[in-house]
Amino acid sequence: MLELEDLGFAHPGGDWLFRGVRHRLRAGEITTVLGPNGRGKTTLLRCIVGLTAPTRGRVRSHGPIGFVPQSHQTTFAFRVLDMVLMGRARHLRPFASPGRHDRRIALAALDRVGLIHLAERDYPTLSGGERQLVLIARAIAADGRVLVLDEPASALDLRNQGRVLHLLRGLADDGMAVLLTTHHPDHAVEIADTAMLMFSADDVRVGPAPDLLTEDAVGALYGVRARTLAFDDGGLARTVIVTRHEPPEPGSSNRPVPGSRPPVDTGGARHR
Amino acid sequence: MRTSVGEPATAADATGSRRSWALVVLPVGVVVVAVAALAVGRYTVPFDRVLAILLGQLLPLPPTWTGTEATTVLQVRLPRVLLSMVVGAGLAVCGAVLQAVFRNPIVSPQILGVSSGASFGGALAIILGLGYAALVTGAFAFGLLALVAVYLVSRVGGTAPPLMIVLSGIVVGAFFTALVSLLTYLADPYDELQSIVFWLLGSLATATYAKVAVAGVPAVAGVVLILALRWRINVLSLGDEDAATLGLRPGPTRWLLLTTVAAVVAGAVAVSGVIGWVGLVVPHLARLWVGPDHRVLLPVTVLIGAAYLTVIDTLTRTIGAAEIPLGVLTAVIGAPVFLLLLRRSRRRMWADA
């Protein structure tokens, strides 16, 4: 569905932000991109959706990519349904306005994210979580099979984080290919099939999320000491990753560390 | 218009009926305003006779009117009313388009310096002793130049902060206004100076059918194009990056719209000088009535613009013994109305002002 071929980006005259990024995202799969601030997650996403030209390599996609930016304010107070309708832009001729067919698709998309009851509200009056869901509905209405999201859960409270993550898992199970960035390793553990860890410009690792998201790897990625906690969530094996309150050892921060298995068994920890 | 989560149907009905009501009432309102404007003045023609005279041009009606009445309505007032409708509709819709393209609800052709640029172009043509065609062309070229300058200057690192846009517009406008002052200083005081000053004052008093054509052709063509793009303008107003990821190429759409705005404003400035406030006040009135969706907002803006300037122009020639300059009255009425709208409707019209 989505293929990144040797993707690299450097600011003109500057060092590589990342290079040699290869990944193939299949239908029904979720990839989460993790990395500290400034490591290039957002730039990578911009290269994927075509907002920034990659310095080298290329992106191949089956059909258009639906992009969900971080929830934002609009200049004008459009209604929620009108916002979602704008997802139809690429299917309409330049002088056309959306018709009944587009309206049905937009309403179905709103229903899919569970906000059909807010269709007539003004978009700016919604909460941050609701706005994020509206932007996801807009991407769904665009009829793409690939969904790319920039930190969809970052600015949300706990309940809304769960709502968005659950929705994304459901969309993938419906056959979409989903790629998102996140600051929460837990989110990756919870919904992702694949994780992409951006350690440094030349060291971007991609692999099955449970294998890659070890204590050592997460600790090295963010320059902290991480701890994996496994527990039984009503019969479901789950894992969370927490930071430990110890100063990092000198020289150990921000250094790529070979991935190792965590001390506790996290196999099958994904929660669907 | 704020409704709770539990009653979306009520909100839908309210918005829907508000929109359809506007599009039914307004065309009727515009016709009523036009007929009233044809009737009133120093020489009053009864309402029914105005209608009869107008219909008599299309149908073989027995003349129930006098020759003087027919001349007053058809030769004196009709070109002026048509001109005020064309100029009002054009300036108003240009204001709405600029507000969407710049994603800034406080811009208008005047604030962005388009009107000043156009008046410099026109004044230059007068000074050089060129004809009326050159005046229109000059107005268009320098109006567009001003718009492009504001657009390029206000973009800082890919985005254009609202304050930067307004400041660039004021600076570019001031620059062209200074150039116009220079031209009036250099102008031949017995001939050119008079025509420049008279022209720049902003008036519809010298309306002719030829002027209706000069302003009307770009205005009608521009309005048709803008209305055809009305939904794209919604998408464009989300910002370039949002529009691009939704599959719209923002660049070509924006340049098409800015060029159209420059042509419509040039036509208006060429026939009537600088008429301020219409492009700012009318889109706000329209947004307060039907909301920000450009699919409805733009046609409503066109209709309100036509009626608004016709009402004000009719006032200029009826409320005093001598005619009041139109530019003065649009400002005297426009400024307080705009302040009122600003205070009343901040939250409803814009997402976050």
Side-chain angles (χ1 to χ4, degrees):
Chain A
M1 292 301 268
L2 180 71
E3 206 171 339
L4 315 182
E5 295 175 351
D6 191 27
L7 214 54
F9 180 83
H11 287 291
D15 292 333
W16 289 99
L17 199 56
F18 54 81
R19 63 176 160 180
V21 175
R22 290 163 210 281
H23 182 43
R24 183 196 287 260
L25 181 60
R26 292 181 190 81
E29 285 186 359
I30 298 182
T31 294
T32 49
V33 181
L34 289 116
N37 287 330
R39 193 55 52 84
K41 293 191 300 295
T42 299
T43 308
L44 177 66
L45 242 54
R46 292 175 60 88
C47 288
I48 293 174
V49 301
L51 286 175
T52 300
T55 312
R56 73 178 210 201
R58 62 182 193 145
V59 177
R60 294 210 294 194
S61 168
H62 292 271
I65 298 173
F67 179 56
V68 179
Q70 294 191 36
S71 94
H72 56 12
Q73 285 287 1
T74 55
T75 309
F76 302 106
F78 292 119
R79 289 182 313 157
V80 167
L81 181 60
D82 291 333
M83 277 299 279
V84 178
L85 267 175
M86 295 200 210
R88 302 297 300 159
R90 77 173 69 244
H91 299 285
L92 295 172
R93 283 170 292 108
F95 293 128
S97 285
R100 205 168 283 180
H101 173 66
D102 303 294
R103 201 181 141 86
R104 256 200 308 275
I105 291 174
L107 285 169
L110 261 181
D111 194 33
R112 183 69 185 81
V113 304
L115 292 188
I116 191 81
H117 58 290
L118 299 182
E120 302 291 341
R121 280 271 296 274
D122 289 346
Y123 174 78
T125 66
L126 304 189
S127 72
E130 290 164 341
R131 282 207 296 268
Q132 191 71 63
L133 290 168
V134 169
L135 294 179
I136 294 174
R138 191 178 71 171
I140 295 173
D143 263 350
R145 305 303 300 155
V146 182
L147 195 60
V148 173
L149 307 95
D150 192 8
E151 294 180 16
S154 284
L156 307 184
D157 66 29
L158 215 50
R159 176 169 166 273
N160 280 309
Q161 286 180 14
R163 233 173 138 184
V164 167
L165 294 178
H166 184 74
L167 173 66
L168 293 181
R169 189 65 252 176
L171 290 172
D173 292 343
D174 291 349
M176 289 189 98
V178 179
L179 184 139
L180 66 143
T181 55
T182 180
H183 280 306
H184 301 283
D186 288 340
H187 293 171
V189 171
E190 193 160 329
I191 63 164
D193 302 281
T194 316
M196 180 185 289
L197 306 190
M198 301 181 80
F199 283 99
S200 68
D202 290 306
D203 187 10
V204 178
R205 293 182 213 168
V206 185
D211 295 348
L212 216 53
L213 290 163
T214 61
E215 286 182 349
D216 287 348
V218 170
L221 188 63
Y222 294 103
V224 296
R225 303 198 64 176
R227 174 98 202 187
T228 315
L229 304 174
F231 61 99
D232 185 320
D233 182 11
L236 200 70
R238 294 189 59 183
T239 310
V240 294
I241 300 172
V242 297
T243 54
R244 296 169 68 181
H245 289 279
E246 290 162 61
E249 286 162 18
S252 74
S253 66
N254 280 322
R255 295 289 305 166
V257 171
S260 63
R261 300 291 301 176
V264 286
D265 183 17
T266 60
R270 266 180 290 129
H271 160 71
R272 298 210 169 186
Chain B
M1 278 304 296
R2 206 85 327 127
T3 47
S4 75
V5 182
E7 41 182 349
T10 325
D13 294 350
T15 312
S17 69
R18 204 183 256 255
R19 290 176 170 199
S20 25
W21 198 65
L23 286 173
V24 172
V25 166
L26 271 172
V28 179
V30 171
V31 172
V32 170
V33 164
V35 173
L38 290 172
V40 301
R42 199 138 303 157
Y43 180 87
T44 307
V45 182
F47 218 80
D48 56 321
R49 288 201 188 169
V50 172
L51 282 175
I53 292 169
L54 290 178
L55 289 176
Q57 301 307 303
L58 306 170
L59 310 167
L61 292 181
T64 54
W65 56 86
T66 66
T68 320
E69 285 170 346
T71 309
T72 309
V73 169
L74 293 176
Q75 298 307 318
V76 180
R77 289 186 193 152
L78 188 57
R80 183 162 180 170
V81 169
L82 286 177
L83 198 61
S84 66
M85 290 170 68
V86 159
V87 169
L91 289 177
V93 82
C94 284
V97 168
L98 289 177
Q99 288 168 11
V101 168
F102 283 89
R103 306 174 63 203
N104 186 334
I106 55 167
V107 302
S108 71
Q110 199 188 13
I111 287 179
L112 290 185
V114 194
S115 306
S116 306
S119 50
F120 170 71
L124 193 64
I126 295 176
I127 289 278
L128 296 177
L130 304 170
Y132 204 69
L135 191 151
V136 180
T137 313
F140 169 70
F142 283 94
L144 185 60
L145 183 70
L147 206 46
V148 171
V150 170
Y151 180 75
L152 294 180
V153 169
S154 63
R155 273 179 90 81
V156 188
T159 62
L163 185 64
M164 196 64 195
I165 294 168
V166 175
L167 288 179
S168 313
I170 290 171
V171 170
V172 168
F175 177 75
F176 279 114
T177 306
L179 288 184
V180 170
S181 304
L182 181 67
L183 288 184
T184 53
Y185 179 73
L186 296 174
D188 170 7
Y190 298 104
D191 179 19
E192 298 159 356
L193 183 61
Q194 276 185 356
S195 19
I196 293 180
V197 170
F198 192 69
W199 170 62
L200 284 178
L201 263 177
S203 171
L204 295 169
T206 57
T208 60
Y209 284 112
K211 288 190 175 182
V212 172
V214 167
V217 169
V220 170
V223 164
V224 167
L225 185 68
I226 286 166
L227 290 186
L229 286 168
R230 63 196 187 280
W231 185 70
R232 296 265 138 178
I233 294 173
N234 272 356
V235 182
L236 197 64
S237 80
L238 296 177
D240 282 11
E241 298 207 332
D242 240 19
T245 56
L246 292 173
L248 179 100
R249 289 172 63 213
T253 315
R254 178 174 44 240
W255 289 117
L256 182 60
L257 287 168
L258 291 184
T259 311
T260 306
V261 165
V264 174
V265 173
V269 168
V271 297
S272 59
V274 178
I275 297 172
W277 292 95
V278 178
L280 188 61
V281 172
V282 174
H284 281 264
L285 274 173
R287 213 173 279 125
L288 191 66
W289 191 355
V290 295
D293 181 355
H294 293 88
R295 282 177 294 174
V296 187
L297 176 70
L298 292 174
V300 166
T301 303
V302 167
L303 294 170
I304 296 182
Y308 181 85
L309 196 62
T310 304
V311 167
I312 294 188
D313 185 53
T314 306
L315 289 178
T316 65
R317 60 187 172 85
T318 50
I319 55 177
E323 185 162 328
I324 303 165
L326 178 62
V328 172
L329 207 57
T330 53
V332 166
I333 295 176
V337 168
F338 184 68
L339 280 181
L340 210 69
L341 290 179
L342 262 186
R343 292 205 61 85
R344 272 199 51 196
S345 57
R346 255 172 76 96
R347 301 203 64 80
R348 158 125 184 92
M349 291 193 297
W350 314 325
D352 195 34

